[in-house]
Amino acid sequence: MSNPLGPWNAWFAFSTQAARMYWEAQTVMLHRSLRIAQGGAKAEAEVQRMITEKVAALAEAQVAATMATLKGSMKHRVAKKALGVYAGRVRRNRRRLSK
């Protein structure tokens, strides 16, 4: 017997993961803004790092989504793979900037 709510549960789990990542991203944006506002070499390095990280994250997320698609994954799994790339990077930045 199959669970008729299965697809809804999968998308709900994805939405929860996205909301958690967005909350952490707000923290990263605050810390980065404060660091940039201080100016100096650290601020310049942070701006450069932010730009290169965004390009690299996009490429990595595209590869993860493409690989999941080629393996025949369901749509919510493809989305979760791409989101996982961004969530991991946000988490690492939050830890790094909170020190």
Side-chain angles (χ1 to χ4, degrees):
M1 181 188 310
S2 117
N3 180 1
L5 296 177
W8 290 103
N9 290 339
W11 282 108
F12 181 75
F14 172 75
S15 298
T16 303
Q17 180 185 4
R20 185 174 34 248
M21 193 263 311
Y22 294 148
W23 184 258
E24 287 183 338
Q26 294 296 316
T27 304
V28 170
M29 289 173 12
L30 172 67
H31 286 294
R32 274 191 164 152
S33 296
L34 292 173
R35 183 166 286 184
I36 292 168
Q38 289 176 346
K42 275 187 163 183
E44 289 180 32
E46 190 63 37
V47 169
Q48 188 63 36
R49 181 180 189 144
M50 180 176 62
I51 293 168
T52 56
E53 272 185 349
K54 289 185 184 307
V55 173
L58 173 63
E60 189 179 339
Q62 286 178 331
V63 168
T66 301
M67 294 302 296
T69 301
L70 291 174
K71 290 179 181 178
S73 296
M74 305 271 298
K75 290 178 183 179
H76 68 275
R77 293 194 191 278
V78 173
K80 192 169 183 174
K81 286 286 187 182
L83 181 66
V85 170
Y86 290 112
R89 287 176 176 266
V90 167
R91 197 173 306 113
R92 287 190 298 271
N93 278 321
R94 183 182 50 81
R95 287 182 192 140
R96 178 180 61 81
L97 291 166
S98 295
K99 292 178 183 179

